[in-house]
Amino acid sequence: MEEKQTMIDLKGIVKRFYIGMPNELEILHGIDLQVERGEFVSIVGSSGSGKTTMMNIIGALDRPTEGEYHLDGVDVVHARDKELSMIRNQKIGFVFQTYNLISRTSALKNVELPMLYAGMRKKDRLERAQELLCMVEMKDRMSHNPDELSGGQKQRVAIARAMANDPAIILADEPTGALDSKTGRKIMDIFHRLNEEQGKTIVLITHSQELAEETGRILTLKDGEIIGERRGRGC
Amino acid sequence: MLIGENILLALNGLRANKMRSLLTMLGIIIGIASVIAIMTLGDSISKSVEDSMSSMGVNNITMGVSQKSTTTETTASGMTFSRGPRMAQLSEEDYINEEMLTDLLERYPEQITGFSLQESIGSGTIQKGSATASISAVGVNAENLESADLTLLAGRTLTERDQSEARRVALVSEHMVKNVFGTANVDVIGQTIDVLFHERYYTYTIVGVYEYEESEMGFSTSSSEETQTMLYLPLRTAREQTHNRKGYSQLTVLTSPETDTVSFCTTLETYMNSRYYSKNESFEIRTMSLESVIESMTEMLSSVSLAIAAIAAISLLVGGIGVMNIMLVSITERTREIGTRKALGAPNSSIRLQFITEAIVLCVIGGVLGILLGVGIAAIATNAMGYAVSPSVDGILLSVSFSAFIGVFFGYYPANKAAKLNPIEALRYE
Ligand SMILES: Nc1ncnc2c1ncn2[C@@H]1O[C@H](COP(=O)(O)OP(=O)(O)OP(=O)(O)O)[C@@H](O)[C@H]1O
Ligand SMILES: [Mg+2]
């Protein structure tokens, strides 16, 4: 019997901005979502529907205004700031649309960064970073700074960085949004590999219906509510 | 996160903004440079003065007759005469005489070990055939001769009998012997020399030749023939020659090593003035020891130091505010980076440490540049004043730690601001 483990458990998540002010804004209106370990989920929806807002809550970057959230069994809503940064460091790997590599810092150092915050030793850090950069086929560009890399290369470095502390979940917010379809394809292949070979739970935000179709489950968000859920090809 | 990584990161950031960093450091550089310059200057001067003091005798007190400085005398009509350039002539009773010296010796036997006395005759010329030599003759007592610290090359020094019988004997320099006699030093012992002072010849018998030390004469650009050397005579011989029976206008009191010269100076001055000079209208006794000179010199220097310290404090304050400002700018520029770091799991403390380290590195580099500049300025100034530079180690250590402190103090607020940034806002920042 296959044991199912809930990785992400959102219950009645509400997010409001400008609380208590006349322009108070409710972006998420009670989201319920469970994601099992090893799932590859994509979230689609029009711009401004609240995808990034939801992703930030999943990634423990932000707290919901209301609702309960357990990540791998840990209560995120009631965790202290320091615990949240630990969760982000150990359990989550972020991949952003705009790469967000640290400038004037080599690809290698960028990948080392999460391990540095984890307090890993220099030698182990270096070894792991090199290994990860090899995995994303960036071995020959390790010492280059971000401004010397193409968009696709930057995103591959960013994925290597997200994988640094071997997190359970990878959260990717439009990782191919700034890339041409061929380069985007390459990035998607890496995600599939991570999902299939390493069993990573992946949540992917995308505007591309095509890319969403290849994931296991497709969630459609509209005006802060999940209005649709269906299975994809990658199931 | 490791300190080393943070320092590398900070240096990286500074390298990327060289000009901006330099301008930011300017206040710190100027502040530290002025502190270092004045400390180095002070250290160099007092070290040089101390060095020269030890050779001049720490236990000497100079005592002299001096014109009264507080000469605002009120006349019967109520008019006041302020002191002016009215130079009164020393008359017989104004001098320090032998009785006073005897009295002092009896009164302070513990402190006073003797008096170094001298009677200056002035410049004269020795002539022998076509050879001439210029000399400066001075009558000295045994104590004075001792403090001159001569090295005898031939013959003997001046004896007690030379002194008491006022013999017409002299100690001459080897330099003079070479120029006038051109023979070995021993050959001139017992020979006589005729010295011309103010169109009158005086004859002395040479009893000793002393080693002539060029350096003692300071810088002499004149040729060696023109160099004036000293001719030492017994004190009484010289006094008879100058017809001086009045006493001394200046002398040196030699004290025992245990004596505190600074306070004994005051004691002597007070005693002499109340006992012998209280009725004297225009003159009084002034005393001074090398130690007291140093003391007043240090005092003067420290008041200058205080003024410089004030300037330094202001420029360090301005520099510190500049650092704070540039840190705030830097943090705003790097808001997204801070957001990213937080997303990667950086705790607030590590963000704070990163930016405090950056501020410290900025300040310490400024401090080091300031030290280099300050030592440079001090080196130029001390050279111009003729002292040797001795960089103040205390000052350097103090400056480095103080600039680090400025970094912490003015870097804390911006760093804390960075640490407390909301990760979402930081990542959304455009
Ligand atoms: N920190 C914030 N303060 C105020 N409003 C916010 C904040 N974050 C998001 N919003 C608002 O919430 C809404 C949803 O934003 P969100 O970024 O989640 O959209 P999205 O679905 O990711 O859109 P896109 O596809 O364009 O990235 C938007 O209207 C946005 O203006
Ligand atoms: Mg978005």
Side-chain angles (χ1 to χ4, degrees), chain B residues 85 206 211 271 327 371:
Chain B
I206 299 172
E211 187 176 25
Y271 174 71
M327 288 308 295
I371 288 169

Side-chain angles (χ1 to χ4, degrees), chain B residues 166-225:
Chain B
R167 289 178 175 173
R168 297 185 149 256
V169 293
L171 294 181
V172 298
S173 70
E174 57 170 324
H175 183 83
M176 191 283 287
V177 172
K178 204 166 65 198
N179 280 343
V180 176
F181 292 91
T183 56
N185 291 328
V186 277
D187 297 342
V188 301
I189 305 297
Q191 298 216 35
T192 58
I193 40 168
D194 297 320
V195 189
L196 178 67
F197 297 105
H198 305 294
E199 300 174 357
R200 265 197 71 178
Y201 279 100
Y202 293 86
T203 306
Y204 309 102
T205 307
I206 299 172
V207 294
V209 180
Y210 67 88
E211 187 176 25
Y212 169 67
E213 283 170 38
E214 187 110 36
S215 59
E216 300 251 317
M217 303 299 288
F219 60 99
S220 80
T221 47
S222 52
S223 70
S224 73
E225 266 128 85

Side-chain angles (χ1 to χ4, degrees), chain A residues 51-53 97 173-174 205 207:
Chain A
K51 302 184 296 293
T52 300
T53 306
Q97 179 178 1
D173 192 348
E174 296 181 48
I205 295 176
H207 280 289

Side-chain angles (χ1 to χ4, degrees), chain A residues 18-60:
Chain A
Y18 312 119
I19 292 162
M21 284 189 263
N23 55 346
E24 186 174 305
L25 204 60
E26 189 169 300
I27 302 299
L28 301 177
H29 320 287
I31 302 267
D32 291 306
L33 173 68
Q34 277 76 40
V35 177
E36 307 299 326
R37 180 184 289 275
E39 259 195 285
F40 194 162
V41 179
S42 58
I43 300 172
V44 294
S46 57
S47 192
S49 56
K51 302 184 296 293
T52 300
T53 306
M54 186 172 128
M55 182 78 103
N56 286 339
I57 289 170
I58 294 173

Side-chain angles (χ1 to χ4, degrees), chain B residues 97-109:
Chain B
N97 57 37
E98 296 285 352
E99 288 97 82
M100 295 181 195
L101 296 184
T102 322
D103 177 31
L104 283 179
L105 253 181
E106 280 169 10
R107 226 184 134 77
Y108 303 106

